Amino acid sequence: MRHFLSTIPWITAVATMLATMLMYYHIHSTVLSYIPVLSVGVIGGLVGLGIQFIIKYFWIRPEAMFLEIIRAHIEGKQDDELSVDESALRNRPDLISAAELVRNAVLESETLHIRITGLEKNLQQVLQDKRRNEAILKEQREAFAKLANELSKARDAAETANIAKSEFLATMSHEIRTPLNGVIGMIDLLMDTGLDVSQRYFAETLRQSGQSLLEVINDILDISKLEAGKVELELQSTRLGWIMADTVRFLEPKAKEKGLDVTWNADPQIPLVIVSDPTRLRQVLFNLVGNAIKFTESGGVKLHAEYVSQHGNEHKIKVSVKDTGIGISEEAQNKLFQKFSQADASTTRRFGGTGLGLAISKQLCLLLGGEIGVESVEGEGATFWFTLTCTEGTEADLPEDKNFAQSLSAVGAVSTESLKILVADDNIINQRILANMLGKLGHEIEAVENGAEACIKAESDHYDLILMDVHMPVLGGIDATKWIRAIDNDKADLPIIGCTADAFPEQLEKFRASGMNDVVTKPINKRELLSVINRVLKKEIHQFNEEMSVLESIPVEQQKTTEIKAKPSMKTKMAPESDPLDLLLDELG
C-alpha cells in the first residue's frame, strides 16, 4: 500500500498530460507543445499529491493506528504504555468504537484468563490432593487389609481356642464324671445295705466328698456356659416362698452342725405367684445362703425378700441374705464377684471352694434382670443382696410337682411292673450301678460293652428300654441310636435314654436330635432316672412315697409372711439316705 501511495502523483501527472494532449489533438487536430504539457503534468502531480495526502490521512494512517492499538492491547500493554497517537483516529469514529470494543474484550479476556489461571491452579491443587489422598487411602487400605487379616487370624485363633476350651471342658467333664458316677453310685448302693452307725457315717462322708467334687465340676461348667452365652432362662410360674423355704430346708443340716439359726421371711406385697426361673433363683439363693453358713461361726443367717417397685407388668424384688459371720473388708469387696476370687487367699484353705460361686451368681442375676451386691464391715457380718425382675403368674400355671424336695428324693420308690432293660456302657462299674439300682425295683437288666452289641441285641431280642452310653468303643451311642432308628420294623421305635457325662446343653440337644428320647447326665440321680423312664414310656411305672416338706405344712395364705427356722442343735445328726444337699447339687449341675 505504501508503494502504491507513492506512485499516485506520477500517475495523476501522466494521466493529466495524456488527457490534455488527446483533448487538444481532438479539438485542434494538431499536437500540443511540450511546455503546456509539462504545465498540465505539474498540475496533475499536485492533484495526485493531494489525493495521496487525503488517502493517507483519512484511511491509511487511522487504520495503521487502529492496528497498532489492537496489537498493543493484545500484547497486554496498558493505555498509558501505548506509543501511538490516538488522536489520529478522531476522524474515524468507527475505528474508535472498534478500538474500544477491542479494549473491553481484551480486558475481559485478561480477567477471564486470571480466573482460568486460578481455576487451573486450584485444579492442579485438587489433583495433587487427590493423588496424595489416593496414596494415603492406598496405605490405609493396605493397613486395613493387613489389620483385617490379623483380626481374621485372631478371630480364627479365638474360635479355635474357644472350641478347644469347650472340647477340653467336655472331655474333662466326661472323664471326671464317669468315675465319679461310679464313686457316688457305689456309695448309694452301699448305703442301701445293712450298715451300722459308724459304717454309715463313713459312707456318708465319702458321698459328701464326691458331691463336693461334683460341685466344683458344675461350677466350672456353669461359668463356661455363662461366658459363652449358652444359658437360657426357663421361665415358669412358681412361689418365691417355696424357693426360700426349700433353701432353708436343704441347708438345715449344715446350719445345725454349727448351731446356727436360719430364718426367712417375705414382704406381703410380693405377688404370691411369680414367673421366673426357679432353678436359677434357687441356685443363687443356695450359693449366698451356703456361703453365709460357711463363714458364720455363731449367731445366724436371715433371708428377707423385699418388694421394690413395679413398672408396667414387671415387678422388681430384692432378696437379702444377712449373716453374723467374719465380715468382708472394703478392699476385698471389690474383687468378690470375680472368677476364682475370694476375700482372702487363706479363705480357700480354711473354708474351701473354687471362688466361682459369686461370679456365677452375678451372671445369673443379670440374666434374671437384676444385679447383685454386698454390704459388710469386717468382723461384723455381711449382707449379700440381689434383685430380680419378674411378672405375676396365676395359680393355674403352677407346676404339679411343686415341691423341690420331691423332685430330688427317691425314698420309697417302687415299680408297678417289671421291665426288660438293655444297658449299653463300656464301663463295667456303670453297668453294675444301673443293674443294682434298677434290679432292686424288679427290672431285668442285660448289659453290653459297645453300641455294635447293642444294635445286635436290639434287633434280635425284645426290650422295653435301652439305656445308651454316648461314648463307647467300636460304635458310639449316637451312631448306635441312628442305626436302631433305621430298622425296618417296629423295633425302630424302641425307647432309648442316653446316659452321658457330657453336661453341656448343646451336647444334650445333639444327643436328642440323633434319635434318643431323652438324656440323663452322670452321676446318675436315681429319682431323675426313674422319672425320665416314666416320661419316655408314658406310664407311671415308678411311684414314690413322698415326705412332706416344710413348705407343704404351711397354708398357702400364710406363705408370704411365715418365718421358717432351722433350730440350732449341737448334736451331729447322721444324714438321711438321700441327703437333700447332695441331691440339690445334682439338680443344679
Side-chain angles (χ1 to χ4, degrees):
M1 178 62 76
R2 186 167 47 195
H3 296 291
F4 173 73
L5 286 176
S6 62
T7 61
I8 288 178
W10 296 102
I11 293 174
T12 55
V14 172
T16 303
M17 289 187 336
L18 289 176
T20 302
M21 290 174 65
L22 289 174
M23 289 177 62
Y24 186 85
Y25 180 79
H26 180 71
I27 295 172
H28 300 282
S29 300
T30 182
V31 177
L32 186 64
S33 64
Y34 73 92
I35 293 175
V37 172
L38 289 175
S39 300
V40 172
V42 171
I43 295 171
L46 294 173
V47 173
L49 287 174
I51 294 172
Q52 182 187 40
F53 177 79
I54 293 171
I55 291 175
K56 185 176 181 180
Y57 186 80
F58 286 98
W59 278 282
I60 300 301
R61 186 182 177 192
E63 290 179 357
M65 294 298 102
F66 176 75
L67 293 176
E68 186 67 20
I69 291 172
I70 291 177
R71 186 182 299 110
H73 285 307
I74 292 175
E75 291 176 355
K77 295 181 179 180
Q78 301 296 327
D79 291 344
D80 56 356
E81 297 178 355
L82 295 178
S83 60
V84 297
D85 184 10
E86 294 189 14
S87 62
L89 298 178
R90 63 180 179 273
N91 295 322
R92 293 293 303 272
D94 58 331
L95 293 181
I96 294 175
S97 177
E100 187 66 24
L101 291 176
V102 170
R103 182 186 294 108
N104 294 336
V106 170
L107 292 176
E108 291 179 1
S109 66
E110 289 177 351
T111 303
L112 183 61
H113 175 70
I114 294 173
R115 293 176 59 188
I116 292 175
T117 302
L119 291 175
E120 183 180 5
K121 291 182 179 178
N122 292 338
L123 181 60
Q124 290 177 351
Q125 184 65 37
V126 169
L127 292 175
Q128 291 177 357
D129 292 342
K130 179 184 177 184
R131 285 191 290 269
R132 189 182 304 109
N133 291 336
E134 287 178 347
I136 295 174
L137 286 175
K138 183 179 180 181
E139 293 177 0
Q140 291 180 344
R141 196 180 299 116
E142 292 175 352
F144 286 148
K146 183 178 179 181
L147 179 60
N149 186 42
E150 293 176 354
L151 288 175
S152 177
K153 291 180 179 179
R155 181 197 61 194
D156 294 341
E159 291 177 351
T160 302
N162 189 49
I163 293 173
K165 184 185 81 170
S166 298
E167 291 177 350
F168 170 77
L169 289 173
T171 302
M172 288 299 98
S173 172
H174 179 270
E175 295 303 319
I176 296 175
R177 283 175 179 269
T178 298
L180 193 58
N181 180 57
V183 172
I184 296 177
M186 284 298 182
I187 293 173
D188 287 338
L189 294 176
L190 178 63
M191 294 187 68
D192 286 340
T193 62
L195 302 177
D196 59 31
V197 175
S198 297
Q199 292 171 334
R200 181 172 291 275
Y201 175 78
F202 296 148
E204 179 61 30
T205 302
L206 284 174
R207 184 167 68 171
Q208 289 182 356
S209 298
Q211 293 291 355
S212 297
L213 178 58
L214 179 61
E215 182 181 6
V216 174
I217 298 171
N218 290 337
D219 281 348
I220 295 175
L221 292 181
D222 273 345
I223 199 67
S224 300
K225 289 185 286 186
L226 286 166
E227 287 180 341
K230 296 178 180 178
V231 174
E232 295 182 359
L233 297 180
E234 297 180 7
L235 301 178
Q236 56 181 283
S237 293
T238 186
R239 296 187 195 276
L240 185 59
W242 289 351
I243 298 172
M244 297 177 72
D246 283 333
T247 302
V248 171
R249 180 189 177 198
F250 286 115
L251 293 173
E252 181 180 0
K254 287 188 175 294
K256 284 184 175 181
E257 289 177 6
K258 303 179 73 172
L260 301 178
D261 185 18
V262 182
T263 63
W264 71 270
N265 61 77
D267 193 329
Q269 286 185 276
I270 297 176
L272 190 60
V273 180
I274 64 172
V275 178
S276 187
D277 188 330
T279 300
R280 297 305 176 184
L281 269 176
R282 191 179 290 111
Q283 186 173 357
V284 175
L285 260 182
F286 182 83
N287 196 308
L288 297 183
V289 177
N291 282 346
I293 294 175
K294 180 194 299 185
F295 296 107
T296 301
E297 298 299 333
S298 61
V301 177
K302 294 181 180 180
L303 283 75
H304 176 65
E306 174 188 356
Y307 187 81
V308 178
S309 62
Q310 178 178 359
H311 298 283
N313 62 342
E314 292 186 341
H315 302 270
K316 186 175 182 180
I317 300 172
K318 180 178 180 180
V319 180
S320 303
V321 179
K322 184 176 182 180
D323 64 58
T324 57
I326 60 177
I328 306 169
S329 66
E330 186 175 350
E331 179 182 356
Q333 293 177 28
N334 297 327
K335 59 181 182 179
L336 265 184
F337 298 98
Q338 300 174 10
K339 293 180 295 183
F340 304 104
S341 176
Q342 291 188 332
D344 187 352
S346 62
T347 300
T348 304
R349 296 190 298 271
R350 181 181 175 190
F351 295 100
T354 61
L356 287 174
L358 291 178
I360 293 172
S361 297
K362 179 179 179 180
Q363 296 292 329
L364 292 177
C365 288
L366 293 176
L367 283 177
L368 292 167
E371 55 185 344
I372 191 171
V374 61
E375 300 170 1
S376 177
V377 176
E378 191 171 7
E380 298 182 8
T383 300
F384 282 85
W385 58 266
F386 69 92
T387 59
L388 66 136
T389 302
C390 62
T391 57
E392 186 171 0
T394 61
E395 297 277 350
D397 295 329
L398 288 172
E400 293 182 4
D401 190 14
K402 60 182 181 298
N403 187 20
F404 182 64
Q406 294 175 357
S407 67
L408 297 176
S409 176
V411 177
V414 295
S415 175
T416 59
E417 63 178 273
S418 177
L419 301 176
K420 187 175 182 180
I421 301 174
L422 176 64
V423 175
D425 198 312
D426 60 318
N427 190 300
I428 189 65
I429 297 177
N430 292 340
Q431 292 180 9
R432 291 174 180 173
I433 291 173
L434 290 172
N436 280 275
M437 184 184 295
L438 299 174
K440 289 184 177 181
L441 296 174
H443 301 307
E444 181 183 349
I445 308 298
E446 287 190 30
V448 294
E449 295 182 350
N450 56 65
E453 295 180 8
C455 293
I456 296 173
K457 286 282 188 179
E459 191 171 18
S460 61
D461 297 337
H462 170 75
Y463 296 98
D464 298 302
L465 176 71
I466 296 179
L467 298 179
M468 183 81 72
D469 186 25
V470 174
H471 299 286
M472 293 183 290
V474 184
L475 189 67
I478 293 178
D479 293 328
T481 299
K482 292 179 179 179
W483 193 92
I484 293 173
R485 295 298 182 228
I487 298 176
D488 291 334
N489 52 44
D490 57 357
K491 291 186 176 182
D493 298 325
L494 180 62
I496 300 175
I497 297 176
C499 301
T500 180
D502 290 338
F504 285 92
E506 62 271 18
Q507 292 294 328
L508 301 181
E509 289 302 319
K510 176 183 175 182
F511 303 151
R512 293 186 180 96
S514 69
M516 294 180 179
N517 297 87
D518 211 330
V519 184
V520 294
T521 57
K522 300 174 183 177
I524 294 175
N525 176 269
K526 184 177 180 181
R527 169 64 185 251
E528 180 185 4
L529 175 61
L530 299 182
S531 298
V532 170
I533 292 176
N534 287 351
R535 185 165 61 250
V536 169
L537 298 181
K538 300 179 180 179
K539 293 189 293 184
E540 290 296 323
I541 295 175
H542 303 103
Q543 298 178 355
F544 307 93
N545 295 326
E546 315 294 358
E547 294 179 342
M548 181 174 290
S549 71
V550 174
L551 186 62
E552 284 181 313
S553 64
I554 306 171
V556 171
E557 62 273 7
Q558 298 179 15
Q559 288 181 9
K560 286 188 176 182
T561 58
T562 301
E563 182 178 275
I564 304 298
K565 289 190 176 183
K567 296 296 183 181
S569 173
M570 299 305 294
K571 295 181 179 180
T572 301
K573 181 180 178 181
M574 298 307 302
E577 188 171 0
S578 295
D579 184 70
L581 176 57
D582 297 338
L583 295 172
L584 179 62
L585 288 171
D586 284 337
E587 172 68 14
L588 297 181

